[in-house]
Amino acid sequence: EVQLVESGGGLVKPGGSLRLSCAASGFTFSNAWMTWVRQAPGKGLEWVGRIKSKTDGGTTDYAAPVKDRFTMSRDDSKNTLYLQMNSLKTEDTAVYYCVKYDYWGQGTLVTVSS
Amino acid sequence: QTVVTQEPSLTVSPGGTVTLTCASSTGAVTSGYYPNWFQQKPGQAPRALIYSTSNKHSWTPARFSGSLLGGKAALTLSGVQPEDEAEYYCLLYYGGVGVFGGGTKLTVL
């Protein structure tokens, strides 16, 4: 059974940093292209970024609002995906989902507020 | 900035057929945008329905189908069930970067 479990969310002040993790199981993580998607309270879905598998180059793509502030990485030995978020803004407040194109985690809430 | 546009809301009767569309501000949507469709019910994480225009996941009910229609990506529900009431989102890829539509709230009434 595929499982994606996000962690690391919480309350952070504007300008602060946070690192989210996504523990994956039930599939060959090293072969998967992984994506982060976020959803602000009461709003629609927003694509954040994607990391390819290492065999496909391991490269990353980011949405314009987070480019140069957020960094995705992966540790295939730990079956874990990461999202390092720096220079956080109030508009980054959202539930962050870890996604394997067909499966979604339950999300972790990030609140950016003073 | 690229904008993906969906109908804000649609209403359909049980047993009826409805088509949701997904348009790109850059022009006609083609298979090269790898259209994906997702369903989200209140309080739940989204669920994937369709990938690469028309491919279904193993759990996608047969009444859901994806296509390209008049320069847009489309999701058609045939024989709508009450449990299909939900928010539906499309996702298009632009050179590796994804952009979601604003979502369509489907009401079954």
Side-chain angles (χ1 to χ4, degrees), chain B residues 3-88:
Chain B
V3 177
V4 176
T5 302
Q6 300 181 241
E7 297 86 359
S9 64
L10 291 169
T11 300
V12 61
S13 300
T17 296
V18 65
T19 297
L20 289 64
T21 67
C22 176
S24 172
S25 62
T26 61
V29 176
T30 66
S31 58
Y33 289 82
Y34 303 98
N36 281 251
W37 290 92
F38 303 90
Q39 178 193 65
Q40 186 178 33
K41 296 182 178 180
Q44 297 182 15
R47 180 175 76 141
L49 292 174
I50 300 286
Y51 65 98
S52 294
T53 305
S54 58
N55 295 284
K56 299 180 186 182
H57 297 286
S58 59
W59 52 80
T60 304
R63 61 184 180 274
F64 289 84
S65 63
S67 65
L68 296 175
L69 200 62
K72 301 178 184 181
L75 176 70
T76 299
L77 288 70
S78 304
V80 171
Q81 302 296 306
E83 61 265 28
D84 297 333
E85 183 162 292
E87 192 87 22
Y88 291 84

Side-chain angles (χ1 to χ4, degrees), chain A residues 39 44-45 47 101-105, chain B residues 40 45-46 57 59 89 96 98 100:
Chain A
Q39 187 168 35
L45 302 177
W47 192 91
Y101 103 90
D102 48 355
Y103 287 90
W104 292 60
Chain B
Q40 186 178 33
H57 297 286
W59 52 80
Y89 294 93
F100 278 99

